[in-house]
Amino acid sequence: MAEETLTKPANLLPRLRRGLADSVGEALEVVLRLAEEEGRTLYLVGGGVRDVVLRRGHVDIDLVGEGPMASLAEKAALVLGGRWVEHRAFGTVTVEGQDFRLDLAMARAEKYARPGALPKVRPASIDEDLDRRDFTINAMALALCGRERGRLLDRFDGMGDIAGGRVRVLHDRSFIDDATRILRAVRYETRFGFGIEEKTLALLKRDLAYLDTISGARVRHEFLRLLAEDEPEQSLLRCQELGVLAAIHGALRFDDELAAAFRRTRRAGRAAPQPEVHLALLGTRLSPADAEAVALRLALSKRQRQALEGAAALAELVSWLSRADARPSQVVERLESYPLAAVEACGLLAQQSTAKRMLRRYLGKWRYVKTSLDGRALARLGVARGPAMKDVLRLLKAARLDGQASSREEEMKLVRGVLEGTVELPRTGGGEG
Ligand code: ATP
């Protein structure tokens, strides 16, 4: 790695330019020219510099300059025929057009009044802006215009840590100030194949309890970012090993079997969105009460919560699914009330072949089965609206699933049988245990 990453700063500008789509590169040039006319320097900061050094394809253009950015953004939007949006709370401005987006931020310093609190910010120098960052590899700035153009600000030897493959905090209180950095450290370690540097690792372990100071929404945000990476199971195994999961919630855990199921989610076609399937897989290891507590801790959205809690509840049903004599209609009646992500997670994990087959058939086929006759058609045949009609529809669907009716005519025959009293309706609440 050393050969490749010990890049001379002079090579970074052309490499940055080569890595950008034409539309983004041209927009960037306009912004830089306008900044230069104002006598200002703009820097590429954070992950952008790191990714240029690492030659990673897509680079996010996060620009920082000293002083307010709004008027520069306004001018740039005018020249580029794009629009600009100010996010005042963050001191940032976005300039965007059809095929480009640039984020401009005013350099700022941060002060943490207490652990886990959102920091108090004030306008500051670029150096101070780098001081507030999470890791050395994310704390470099590359001057893109002005007299400094091409100069790399690297106060913490981020280049050395990239070359050595290390994730290292800038100071000993870093995780105390903001314990979301614990999850970020693991994420970068996995993504880049780096190692968390020894002292940083000791600090991380020392400060695990500070995760309690972080709001549910912020833990969730970083946790979902970790799940969205290419190989989240690596990060989760590491989190398990370091005690990070237990620090988020005592019952949360990850193991090799779940890791294998995570890998399978990437191979199999999915019925539910991946983050929900991931959460559901985690849910299979939780009791229903713990799942509820974890969902609360992570302030999950309704769908995410349903996936996690549904999987916890469904895991208890899986032994029933391994009964070889369960009819498709019974399986469908039971599984229908669970979120798809939960069913999918149990299918990915099921060891027992009957249960696995039931879950897969439900996902791939049975859940799509519909009757030919609908409520209106039933009314025309003389079925009264209300609970009775619901029961007839259930009967027809069960007949379809269990192979007792395979056409509209056969469904009509069954309905006539019900009306004449020769066919018995299923009891509401159905499915014998
Ligand atoms: P990714 O490549 O995953 O998008 P990134 O490095 O661009 O990661 P962001 O979360 O987009 O990271 O944040 C941009 C930059 O802001 C980071 O590179 C880092 O310098 C800084 N940053 C983000 N979150 C924190 C934090 N919790 N503490 C300190 N600095 C942070």
Side-chain angles (χ1 to χ4, degrees):
M1 158 157 307
E3 187 81 14
E4 197 190 330
T5 53
L6 283 178
T7 313
K8 288 203 188 78
N11 297 337
L12 293 177
L13 279 182
R15 196 189 293 170
L16 166 67
R17 187 63 185 83
R18 279 197 302 275
L20 297 179
D22 284 346
S23 53
V24 181
E26 282 155 22
L28 179 60
E29 263 158 36
V30 167
V31 172
L32 295 176
R33 181 171 50 75
L34 292 170
E36 228 159 15
E37 281 170 16
E38 291 183 2
R40 307 173 69 167
T41 304
L42 289 186
Y43 299 85
L44 178 71
V45 289
V49 182
R50 175 200 71 209
D51 289 344
V52 174
V53 175
L54 283 168
R55 299 173 196 266
R56 287 177 72 87
H58 173 83
V59 173
D60 278 337
I61 300 297
D62 286 325
L63 301 171
V64 166
E66 292 172 3
M69 288 289 148
S71 79
L72 179 63
E74 186 177 7
K75 278 192 223 164
L78 201 69
V79 176
L80 291 162
R83 53 190 206 108
W84 66 288
V85 188
E86 186 169 16
H87 314 282
R88 208 166 279 191
F90 302 101
T92 61
V93 197
T94 304
V95 183
E96 59 189 356
Q98 234 163 21
D99 39 18
F100 70 87
R101 177 197 162 106
L102 305 172
D103 288 314
L104 288 88
M106 172 162 70
R108 62 181 199 260
E110 291 180 347
K111 203 167 170 182
Y112 292 84
R114 59 186 160 76
L118 287 176
K120 288 217 159 41
V121 303
R122 63 171 169 78
S125 66
I126 182 71
D127 281 347
E128 287 172 293
D129 190 281
L130 297 178
D131 292 349
R132 72 178 172 84
R133 292 177 184 262
D134 48 2
F135 307 110
T136 60
I137 58 171
N138 287 344
M140 296 183 283
L142 179 65
L144 298 183
C145 61
R147 276 197 314 274
E148 302 267 272
R149 189 170 184 277
R151 180 165 167 230
L152 181 73
L153 307 188
D154 183 12
R155 296 157 58 69
F156 306 98
D157 194 23
M159 283 291 243
D161 284 337
I162 289 181
R166 286 182 296 267
V167 178
R168 185 160 59 93
V169 286
L170 309 190
H171 58 87
D172 289 3
R173 283 187 55 86
S174 189
F175 295 123
I176 298 178
D177 285 344
D178 178 357
T180 64
R181 293 172 186 162
I182 291 175
L183 287 163
R184 296 174 63 85
V186 174
R187 180 158 63 87
Y188 291 124
E189 188 184 52
T190 304
R191 188 199 293 173
F192 301 125
F194 283 9
I196 297 175
E197 175 268 340
E198 201 179 341
K199 185 165 174 217
T200 299
L201 193 62
L203 296 171
L204 183 153
K205 289 180 186 162
R206 182 196 71 183
D207 296 336
L208 281 174
Y210 284 91
L211 276 163
D212 277 349
T213 65
I214 307 292
S215 71
R218 290 180 62 211
V219 180
R220 181 195 62 226
H221 179 71
E222 283 300 340
F223 194 68
L224 291 180
R225 284 184 80 179
L226 186 147
L227 291 182
E229 294 278 320
D230 287 346
E231 294 181 352
E233 65 278 3
Q234 300 297 347
S235 292
L236 289 169
L237 285 170
R238 183 73 160 140
C239 283
Q240 171 70 29
E241 176 199 340
L242 295 173
V244 178
L245 294 179
I248 292 174
H249 186 279
L252 199 57
R253 61 196 172 85
F254 199 73
D255 52 53
D256 289 331
E257 207 188 325
L258 284 179
F262 265 61
R263 281 190 284 273
R264 286 198 286 276
T265 63
R266 295 197 286 279
R267 275 183 253 132
R270 279 189 316 275
Q274 191 158 31
E276 287 169 31
V277 177
H278 284 158
L279 288 168
L281 281 165
L282 291 166
T284 61
R285 295 293 189 263
L286 300 172
S287 71
D290 283 336
E292 202 181 322
V294 170
L296 207 64
R297 172 62 187 114
L298 292 175
L300 295 181
S301 71
K302 189 171 169 198
R303 289 182 66 100
Q304 293 161 347
R305 176 172 58 76
Q306 285 170 339
L308 185 92
E309 294 181 5
L314 185 55
E316 297 186 343
L317 197 88
V318 170
S319 63
W320 177 83
L321 284 169
S322 49
R323 278 177 37 162
D325 63 344
R327 287 196 303 276
S329 60
Q330 291 174 310
V331 175
V332 171
E333 289 222 346
R334 295 208 162 203
L335 293 183
E336 254 174 357
S337 58
Y338 290 92
L340 270 185
V343 181
E344 202 162 332
C346 289
L348 285 161
L349 278 174
Q351 299 289 339
Q352 212 277 342
S353 64
T354 311
K356 204 187 300 186
R357 203 173 55 238
M358 297 286 189
L359 289 159
R360 299 222 168 133
R361 285 198 183 150
Y362 169 77
L363 285 168
K365 194 165 151 200
W366 294 341
R367 73 187 169 98
Y368 298 112
V369 169
K370 293 219 160 35
T371 56
S372 287
L373 300 175
D374 57 10
R376 234 193 289 167
L378 290 186
R380 274 201 300 272
L381 289 171
V383 180
R385 294 197 183 271
M389 183 173 283
K390 255 200 191 142
D391 286 344
V392 175
L393 283 167
R394 273 184 59 219
L395 170 87
L396 294 182
K397 187 161 164 194
R400 277 272 178 185
L401 280 161
D402 298 338
Q404 289 145 6
S406 53
S407 65
R408 192 178 174 89
E409 286 63 42
E410 283 173 3
E411 285 185 15
M412 288 178 55
K413 207 164 128 196
L414 277 173
V415 177
R416 272 186 233 108
V418 170
L419 293 171
E420 288 158 11
T422 55
V423 172
E424 211 179 312
L425 277 178
R427 275 171 296 126
T428 309
E432 54 270 30

